[in-house]
């Protein structure tokens, strides 16, 4: 959302034995590469920083809202306060000062970790191995190997999940806007072609 850049979910799921299972997740902008929000922005308000993150420049944003439906994860949002797009910047100001993002700094359990994407993925993979050894159905969401990237090349944030993505309100197969609009475009093209043929036939009959 425009005002809440990190969403912490606390999910209760019924267990087979009649008890309840607790699942937690902390969701955030994935700083995708390519980023659909950035690609559709007509003003250049969204840009990719020197850290590979995606940031909105509020002084350039005109509030057109095109980025909002483009995001496969429902992250970027238009503020009701200033009418402009807002989302997590991965603490661009802190990164510029050589500091880690505030969420990673503040997390007392180190559940949120910051670093090089390749290193983090290796760490996540080891953590998944540990969890699986304990009998949990753990996997990493947001890598090419394990799913969650859809048509997006790379996500800058990955998540260790213990249930299907939809449990955490994450799409099973996120897609770029052009993939979502292509079927509709093709349907219109086919309908237009059929209409042309029908018109030609009717003209010939006349
Ligand atoms: S998650 Fe959405 S808002 Fe964040 S970079 Fe990707 S497309 Fe943009
Ligand atoms: S709302 Fe702002 S950031 Fe989003 S597409 Fe329009 S100008 Fe770009």
């Amino acid at each position: 959302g425009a005002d809440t850049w990190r969403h912490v979910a606390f999910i209760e799921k019924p267990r087979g034995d009649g008890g309840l299972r607790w699942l937690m997740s902390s969701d955030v902008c994935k700083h995708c590469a390519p980023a659909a929000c950035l690609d559709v922005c007509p003003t250049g308000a969204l840009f990719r920083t020197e850290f590979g993150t995606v940031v909105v420049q509020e002084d350039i944003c005109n509030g057109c809202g095109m980025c909002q439906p483009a995001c496969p994860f429902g992250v970027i949002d238009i503020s009701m306060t200033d009418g402009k797009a807002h989302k997590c910047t991965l603490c661009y100001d802190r990164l510029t000062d050589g500091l880690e993002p505030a969420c990673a700094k503040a997390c007392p359990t180190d559940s949120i970790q910051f670093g090089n994407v390749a290193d983090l993925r290796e760490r996540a993979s080891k953590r998944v191995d540990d969890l699986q050894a304990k009998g949990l159905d753990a996997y990493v969401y947001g890598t090419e190997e394990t799913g969650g990237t859809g048509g997006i090349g790379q996500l800058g944030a990955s998540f260790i999940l213990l249930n299907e993505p939809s449990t955490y309100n994450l799409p099973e197969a996120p897609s770029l806007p052009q993939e979502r609009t292509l079927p509709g475009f093709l349907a219109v093209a086919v309908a237009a072609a059929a209409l042309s043929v029908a018109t030609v036939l009717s003209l010939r009959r006349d």
Side-chain angles (χ1 to χ4, degrees):
D3 305 314
T4 48
W5 293 355
R6 225 176 220 286
H7 289 195
V8 178
F10 182 101
I11 303 141
E12 278 187 344
K13 289 264 288 185
R15 272 197 324 236
D17 61 3
L20 285 172
R21 189 175 176 208
W22 287 353
L23 298 165
M24 284 110 187
S25 79
S26 179
D27 193 18
V28 73
C29 172
K30 323 294 181 283
H31 297 275
C32 317
C37 60
L38 186 155
D39 287 347
V40 301
C41 177
T43 63
L46 277 152
F47 77 107
R48 192 169 298 281
T49 71
E50 63 272 37
F51 305 107
T53 53
V54 179
V55 171
V56 191
Q57 301 167 92
E58 267 82 35
D59 55 332
I60 298 177
C61 173
N62 65 7
C64 70
M66 289 182 70
C67 51
Q68 206 178 1
C71 172
F73 301 98
V75 166
I76 196 161
D77 198 13
I78 305 295
S79 164
M80 299 294 279
T81 309
D82 66 4
K84 291 172 186 263
H86 293 266
K87 72 169 196 71
C88 159
T89 67
L90 207 69
C91 291
Y92 186 37
D93 49 350
R94 288 178 61 88
L95 294 191
T96 307
D97 287 342
L99 301 169
E100 65 179 329
C103 55
K105 178 80 181 163
C107 178
T109 59
D110 256 352
S111 294
I112 300 171
Q113 299 193 5
F114 171 73
N116 177 285
V117 170
D119 294 344
L120 289 173
R121 286 198 179 166
E122 205 179 312
R123 237 181 276 170
S125 170
K126 283 188 188 141
R127 175 76 177 139
V128 163
D129 289 346
D130 289 347
L131 292 169
Q132 286 179 347
K134 289 177 183 159
L136 290 162
D137 283 335
Y139 65 98
V140 182
Y141 175 89
T143 69
E144 294 80 7
E145 302 78 37
T146 56
T149 56
I152 307 158
Q154 176 176 286
L155 303 188
S158 308
F159 306 83
I160 296 175
L161 303 183
L162 300 176
N163 220 286
E164 63 267 22
S166 55
T167 303
Y168 304 89
N169 212 17
L170 287 165
E172 305 283 339
S175 56
L176 294 171
Q178 55 268 39
E179 288 156 24
R180 277 175 264 149
T181 50
L182 188 60
F185 175 77
L186 289 176
V188 170
V190 168
L195 197 60
S196 308
V197 171
T199 308
V200 169
L201 287 176
S202 114
L203 284 174
R204 280 199 180 148
R205 267 197 214 110
D206 293 346

